Amino acid sequence: MAVAVSLARRGAQVRVLERGLHCGQGASAAAAGMLAEGAEVTEAGPFLELCRASRALWPSWAEELLLTTGVDCELERTGLVRVTSSEEGALRLERQAKWQQSHGFEVSSLWDPSQLAKLVPGLGPSVLAGIHYPNDGHVHSHRVVDALVAACEVHGVAIETETEVTALESRAGRPRLTLAGDRVADGDYLVVCAGSWSGRLLGAAGGAELQVEPVRGQIVAIDPGRPMVPLIVFGDRGYLLQKRSGLVLAGTTEERVGYQPWPTVVGVSGVAAAAAELMPELAGARFADAWAGLRPHATDGRPLLGRLEPGGRVLLATAHYRNGVLLAPITGELIARAVFEGVDPKELAAFSPGRLA
Ligand code: GLY
């Protein structure tokens, strides 16, 4: 939908073909909504640059969505503490902070529990040390989906729900889709944004090497009845953040279990236990909800962005894995440029689907 909005804002006529009843109900709506490259990216290179560029776009992107649609993405620049419960973890975080400081991250040096307690009262006794990223934050992923659906409407994007694509081919250089129910759809360009289902779709079109594997992540929502997680707490076994509504989201798992997008007994209890270890007061708090989503993972773990084949009219915007919400603004922007400029922008070179061929 970010791609659709970016294209439509530049004047393209756009159709979104959505298999489900509503858009964005896969990984997007399941996401905790962290904008946290500090905790997620620990090596230099194009992926770090992409994450940074997207995070820099987020404030104006959210503002623009608010102005256009009236929907607030609830962007919170709370900061994040990456904490650990082991001596070995503390050494690793110390090394990480030093490396990141030398690569332009805003990150503190290693803090002890008393320093951490000043920012996050209520951390459990197992927490030994942590590092602080003052610029990380989060958005409300449901609000983001709502805002994008509304922005699609404002910009004249046609959203066609309950529309399943069963085959993809090229006719006279134009992408052509077969839809369930013996219908077809075509256009000058096709952008595949099918998350964990992208590989299946491309396999049907002969791109069998472009596998996108689903990696399930489970979230537990807790209602503690008061503000208690002032910033993101990211531990060895899970993370916590509190939304404006007061709901605390605890994540997560990484499970390769195929297409099973539901929370499980073992997953939910593990995530809840990790949450209560990070903040013991949560152990007795009200359980509110649990859900799961399937993160789309390409074989090298990096997004697939840009033309499927040089000069072609099929583009990919998928496999964002753990960072789809963070990368939404830059993805929309760069894919729209790729379409309108006729070549993929240089920022996409490292994410070209061709790298996996
Ligand atoms: N980025 C957090 C997650 O994938 O769980």
Side-chain angles (χ1 to χ4, degrees), residues 3 122 151 217 295:
V3 170
R295 307 178 185 90

Side-chain angles (χ1 to χ4, degrees), residues 135-167:
N135 292 332
D136 283 357
H138 55 94
V139 287
H140 194 306
S141 60
H142 295 179
R143 298 292 97 74
V144 177
V145 168
D146 292 347
L148 287 169
V149 169
C152 280
E153 277 162 20
V154 170
H155 292 292
V157 173
I159 295 182
E160 300 171 32
T161 54
E162 296 183 88
T163 300
E164 181 159 12
V165 176
T166 57

